[in-house]
């Protein structure tokens, strides 16, 4: 691969770059748009008390097959009631642990997850990620307090009149604008956009191979819209976070490269929007308070989450 090749997504990344926008030491990127005032406004969206779990269960029946670079979580009991049965007063207890990749189910990709040109977001060198410390900059704990904001669900499958988008469909700016118009909602600065493709239904139906296969999802045409609207984070219901496979020969995940490395946007995958979408369709309310904080794992480049939408 030639170092002087001009890649379209890298040119787009230069145009939309947020490097230095919040200072040379910034490690949270577009989550700077989530202000205290934004969280107060998000809290006021809770009117009925309905809560929707948008996360996948962390267990052995997850989406991944054995032998890959990602595996389903393993749950292990480390203390059983029988281990404490001899305590004089009859007290019993149990303890457990999990062995898991941090991106083995519903999760956020952090700003040290994807880059190019030996750089991650805000001029972080690739050498800042190593086997000893993980990510020395841009690690996920930097953003855990920022992932509570107004959430807006844009149902792209519904815009197209289908229950799920066709394989590898590339979601465009026109699609998200059409979803806003159909739903009577507008994405604003500091929002977490939740993008429904319908792909999660494959997982719910037990077809894990299809769920991990050729995914519809956002693509480069959406990037300017995300930048102009000052979107804080983007959550998608597919397994790849963007349209897959990549139509740019020689590239793999160009959307990740632009939004994470250049824009500093935290990207989420494998969210379950099915129940929430049905409720939004019924009451016509597509905005909600979203609590999607993750784990403070030092040096981590991503995090598992159990996001909750409150209406």
């Amino acid at each position: 691969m030639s170092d002087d090749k001009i890649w379209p997504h890298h040119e787009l990344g230069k145009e939309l770059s947020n490097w230095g926008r919040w200072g040379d030491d910034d490690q949270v990127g577009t989550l700077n748009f989530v202000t205290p005032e934004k969280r107060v406004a998000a809290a006021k969206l809770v009117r009925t008390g309905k809560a929707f779990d948008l996360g996948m269960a962390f267990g052995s029946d997850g989406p991944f097959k054995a032998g890959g670079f990602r595996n389903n979580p393993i749950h292990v009991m480390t203390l059983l009631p029988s281990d404490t049965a001899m305590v004089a007063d009859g007290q019993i207890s149990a303890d457990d642990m999990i062995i898991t990749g941090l991106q083995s189910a519903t999760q956020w990709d952090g700003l040290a997850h994807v880059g190019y040109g030996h750089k991650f977001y805000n001029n972080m060198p690739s050498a800042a990620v190593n086997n000893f410390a993980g990510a020395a900059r841009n690690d996920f704990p930097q953003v855990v307090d920022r992932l509570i904001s107004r959430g807006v669900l844009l149902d792209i499958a519904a815009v197209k009149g289908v229950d799920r988008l066709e394989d590898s469909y590339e979601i465009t700016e026109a699609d998200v604008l059409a979803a806003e118009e159909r739903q009577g909602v507008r994405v604003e600065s500091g929002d977490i956009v939740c993008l429904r493709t319908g792909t999660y239904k494959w997982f719910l139906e037990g077809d894990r191979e299809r769920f991990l296969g050729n995914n519809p999802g956002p693509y480069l045409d959406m990037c300017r819209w995300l930048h102009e609207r000052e979107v804080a984070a983007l959550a998608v219901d597919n397994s790849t976070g963007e349209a897959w496979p990549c139509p740019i020969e020689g590239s793999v995940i160009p959307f990740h490269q632009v939004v994470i490395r250049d824009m500093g946007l935290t990207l989420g995958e494998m969210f379950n929007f099915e129940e929430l979408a049905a409720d939004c369709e019924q009451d016509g309310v597509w905005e909600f308070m979203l609590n999607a904080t993750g784990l403070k794992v030092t040096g981590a480049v991503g995090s598992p989450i159990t996001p909750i939408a409150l209406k």
Side-chain angles (χ1 to χ4, degrees):
M1 184 182 300
S2 173
D3 291 337
D4 58 3
K5 179 178 176 64
I6 298 175
W7 295 93
H9 48 295
H10 294 174
E11 293 299 298
L12 179 62
K14 292 177 184 177
E15 176 189 338
L16 304 181
S17 175
N18 283 322
W19 288 21
R21 181 172 183 171
W22 296 283
D24 293 340
D25 296 328
D26 176 59
Q27 299 183 60
V28 303
T30 54
L31 286 169
N32 279 290
F33 294 129
V34 181
T35 62
E37 294 78 15
K38 185 71 183 183
R39 286 191 286 264
V40 169
K44 293 179 180 178
L45 296 175
V46 183
R47 299 183 178 93
T48 67
K50 292 181 181 178
F52 299 87
D53 178 357
L54 310 181
M56 179 184 291
F58 284 81
S60 59
D61 58 350
F64 298 103
K65 294 181 179 179
F69 78 101
R70 287 181 179 169
N71 295 284
N72 294 325
I74 300 171
H75 178 238
V76 178
M77 297 304 301
T78 58
L79 184 70
L80 295 174
S82 58
D83 297 326
T84 58
M86 301 306 293
V87 177
D89 64 358
Q91 173 263 328
I92 57 174
S93 59
D95 240 22
D96 51 1
M97 63 180 286
I98 59 169
I99 304 167
T100 184
L102 298 184
Q103 294 165 320
S104 293
T106 308
Q107 49 94 8
W108 287 118
D109 287 342
L111 302 188
H113 176 60
V114 171
Y116 62 86
H118 305 291
K119 298 286 186 178
F120 292 102
Y121 171 69
N122 215 17
N123 205 32
M124 170 189 167
S126 59
V129 180
N130 59 67
N131 282 331
F132 298 100
R137 284 178 55 195
N138 292 345
D139 66 337
F140 192 80
Q142 304 295 328
V143 303
V144 291
D145 62 336
R146 306 293 183 115
L147 287 158
I148 301 173
S149 189
R150 177 187 185 234
V152 177
L153 177 64
L154 298 181
D155 193 339
I156 308 303
V159 167
K160 299 297 183 181
V162 295
D163 69 343
R164 69 199 88 188
L165 298 175
E166 63 186 44
D167 292 355
S168 305
Y169 180 83
E170 300 168 17
I171 297 173
T172 66
E173 178 178 356
D175 290 329
V176 292
L177 292 175
E180 286 185 310
E181 182 176 1
R182 173 184 176 271
Q183 298 170 193
V185 70
R186 180 177 173 83
V187 171
E188 301 169 350
S189 177
D191 287 346
I192 299 175
V193 171
C194 301
L195 209 59
R196 180 179 177 269
T197 70
T199 304
Y200 198 88
K201 291 173 69 70
W202 293 118
F203 179 75
L204 294 175
E205 293 166 2
D207 194 340
R208 286 156 174 74
E209 185 173 351
R210 193 71 181 270
F211 178 64
L212 296 176
N214 294 341
N215 278 200
Y219 194 57
L220 298 180
D221 188 72
M222 264 191 65
C223 293
R224 287 190 182 88
W225 178 83
L226 292 166
H227 189 268
E228 291 167 0
R229 294 293 183 90
E230 298 184 343
V231 170
L234 175 67
V236 189
D237 64 352
N238 70 4
S239 63
T240 60
E242 62 180 277
W244 180 269
C246 170
I248 300 176
E249 185 177 355
S251 182
V252 180
I253 45 174
F255 181 79
H256 277 67
Q257 293 180 48
V258 175
V259 297
I260 296 177
R261 190 263 199 189
D262 294 316
M263 293 170 54
L265 182 141
T266 299
L267 179 63
E269 298 162 352
M270 295 186 280
F271 281 63
N272 180 2
F273 297 134
E274 294 308 301
E275 184 181 1
L276 175 63
D279 187 82
C280 292
E281 194 70 60
Q282 182 177 29
D283 66 12
V285 178
W286 297 87
E287 60 178 355
F288 40 85
M289 179 181 180
L290 180 61
N291 184 337
T293 58
L295 301 180
K296 293 180 68 174
V297 179
T298 302
V301 303
S303 177
I305 53 173
T306 301
I308 302 294
L310 296 165
K311 293 181 70 177

